[in-house]
Amino acid sequence: MFSLCYLPTAGRLTITMIQARNLKAMDITGASDPYVKVSLMCEGRRLKKRKTSTKRNTLNPVYNEAIVFDVLPENIEQISLLIAVMDYDRVGHNEVIGVCRVGNDADSLGREHWSEMLSYPRKPVAHWHPLVEYQETTSSSQGGSCNSLKAPPSP
């Protein structure tokens, strides 16, 4: 469960990771050490990423952590968020427990959540999202306007 909030005047997109429940056990102990990695995407390219703290030994983590991205109003239509719940491992690779996507190019619930956020600016909109298994997709970039997500510095 997470909330989305967009402040068009400030160009600030806030995603608040609230909690997860019934995650898949990834460790031999029957639990996981989950954290959430949020990637700001544009046309299949990752522009920025941020992550939450790791919650140890739980399948029902509670985060209540806000992640903020600067996105200009003229770019909000082109971007999406890829949310990956990861299992932290001290040895070896961190494993993907599952992912979900929100944005105009997302599937039904992800697109609805995004539309609701844009319809109610400055108001956090929270929803539960199911996690799906991660499939790496490669997509060719068709020159868009995602290169300038931050306003250029003024002289």
Side-chain angles (χ1 to χ4, degrees):
M1 175 184 245
F2 58 89
S3 73
L4 296 173
C5 182
Y6 186 61
L7 293 101
T9 49
R12 184 170 303 138
L13 174 62
T14 303
I15 175 170
T16 303
M17 298 312 305
I18 300 169
Q19 65 182 21
R21 64 180 178 213
N22 304 324
L23 293 177
K24 191 164 69 175
M26 302 296 280
D27 298 339
I28 54 172
T29 60
S32 294
D33 301 316
Y35 67 93
V36 182
K37 183 166 73 172
V38 181
S39 301
L40 185 69
M41 307 290 287
C42 177
E43 295 166 353
R45 293 192 325 264
R46 180 167 55 206
L47 301 173
K48 294 182 183 145
K49 66 180 177 191
R50 305 250 194 306
K51 53 189 181 181
T52 66
S53 60
T54 302
K55 301 298 178 187
R56 298 264 177 225
N57 204 29
T58 180
L59 298 178
N60 301 292
V62 175
Y63 295 101
N64 292 322
E65 295 179 34
I67 293 172
V68 178
F69 293 107
D70 291 319
V71 180
L72 295 174
E74 56 267 26
N75 293 323
I76 194 72
E77 295 294 325
Q78 286 98 25
I79 64 144
S80 62
L81 295 172
L82 180 66
I83 294 115
V85 180
M86 308 286 293
D87 175 46
Y88 172 79
D89 285 324
R90 239 181 297 203
V91 180
H93 298 301
N94 295 345
E95 298 168 284
V96 179
I97 297 173
V99 298
C100 71
R101 185 184 203 84
V102 290
N104 284 330
D105 61 349
D107 291 333
S108 55
L109 182 59
R111 190 172 34 244
E112 287 167 26
H113 194 173
W114 191 258
S115 299
E116 201 175 333
M117 170 198 74
L118 293 175
S119 299
Y120 300 99
R122 295 172 294 284
K123 203 173 159 179
V125 180
H127 283 295
W128 283 100
H129 288 263
L131 294 175
V132 296
E133 284 193 28
Y134 179 62
Q135 280 103 29
E136 183 103 27
T137 58
T138 55
S139 64
S140 60
S141 170
Q142 298 98 1
S145 59
C146 292
N147 299 331
S148 58
L149 281 179
K150 194 75 178 109
S154 49

